[in-house]
Amino acid sequence: VDILTDRDATRDRVIAAFTALASRTDADSTVLVWFSGRASVDADGATTIFLADDNLSSTVKGLTAADVDRMLDRLRSQRVVVIFDTSGGCAGMSVHVGRVLLSATLPEEAAYSGSDGGRGGDFTSAIVRALNGGAVSRGYDLSVFDIFEYAQAEVVTYGKQHPTIGMRWGEIGFPIAKRPLAASVPNA
């Protein structure tokens, strides 16, 4: 598990983490890539996420949807979940068989935080609650759909953003977590 937060989430460290991930995964791996932070949708309709070391006045900044797609394409896993809790969400990213995109917003929407009184992004907080027992499943595994369904239903009640899911038509959701025996964290 690689976790980069705050000032550690620089361009070089994110790229290095993706490179290391590509070397560790195989077709049977389940991969979760989660970006929560600032982003914008460019004139071409694609999201660019901003990183800790970005100079916002520079012409080269952040990671574009195309940059992230290229890094994801190097993963051999057939089960990849990408979560973008950012304004513009996953706009401009590609779905492939086995790659599911969970987006906090529609491309033209802003992402919000604190609507539930918590500190994190609304979508991130809802997903954490889903993983901690909020999502209902028929078995012991929580599928990507179970998690998304819970988070989407919660976030739209705030009336500010509309989470979306991107995937290949006809693809079935795959397990991404085990259902907890009891809720461990009521709020994110």
Side-chain angles (χ1 to χ4, degrees):
V1 174
D2 290 323
I3 299 174
L4 300 175
T5 60
D6 302 325
R7 294 285 169 215
D8 291 334
T10 64
R11 181 181 185 80
D12 289 344
R13 291 196 66 191
V14 169
I15 291 170
F18 264 106
T19 300
L21 183 61
S23 72
R24 292 192 314 256
T25 58
D26 60 28
D28 295 326
S29 300
T30 298
V31 175
L32 175 64
V33 176
W34 195 327
F35 289 104
S36 184
R38 302 221 179 262
S40 69
V41 177
D42 302 328
D44 65 358
T47 297
T48 295
I49 59 168
F50 300 122
L51 302 169
D53 58 343
D54 279 336
N55 175 349
L56 298 182
S57 61
S58 172
T59 56
V60 177
K61 59 184 167 282
L63 291 172
T64 66
D67 294 331
V68 176
D69 270 341
R70 279 190 293 277
M71 290 186 286
L72 290 169
D73 288 345
R74 288 190 286 239
L75 303 177
R76 294 176 299 233
S77 174
Q78 297 300 305
R79 292 183 308 271
V80 177
V81 179
V82 180
I83 300 172
F84 265 37
D85 188 359
T86 64
S87 296
C90 295
M93 292 187 61
S94 301
V95 295
H96 300 284
V97 172
R99 183 185 301 170
V100 178
L101 307 176
L102 303 183
S103 178
T105 69
L106 294 169
E108 66 277 4
E109 291 180 328
Y112 291 88
S113 59
S115 296
D116 62 353
R119 293 183 8 181
D122 291 349
F123 194 53
T124 291
S125 296
I127 289 174
V128 169
R129 279 191 287 280
L131 290 167
N132 283 320
V136 177
S137 72
R138 291 181 184 86
Y140 289 104
D141 294 329
L142 289 173
S143 77
V144 66
F145 295 119
D146 296 327
I147 302 302
F148 176 75
E149 192 173 53
Y150 177 92
Q152 194 269 349
E154 181 177 307
V155 171
V156 296
T157 64
Y158 303 135
K160 300 176 188 176
Q161 63 193 67
H162 301 86
T164 60
I165 189 168
M167 57 181 289
R168 295 288 270 212
W169 179 253
E171 189 171 23
I172 331 175
F174 48 84
I176 60 169
K178 297 289 184 192
R179 179 178 55 83
L181 297 176
S184 59
V185 179
N187 292 307

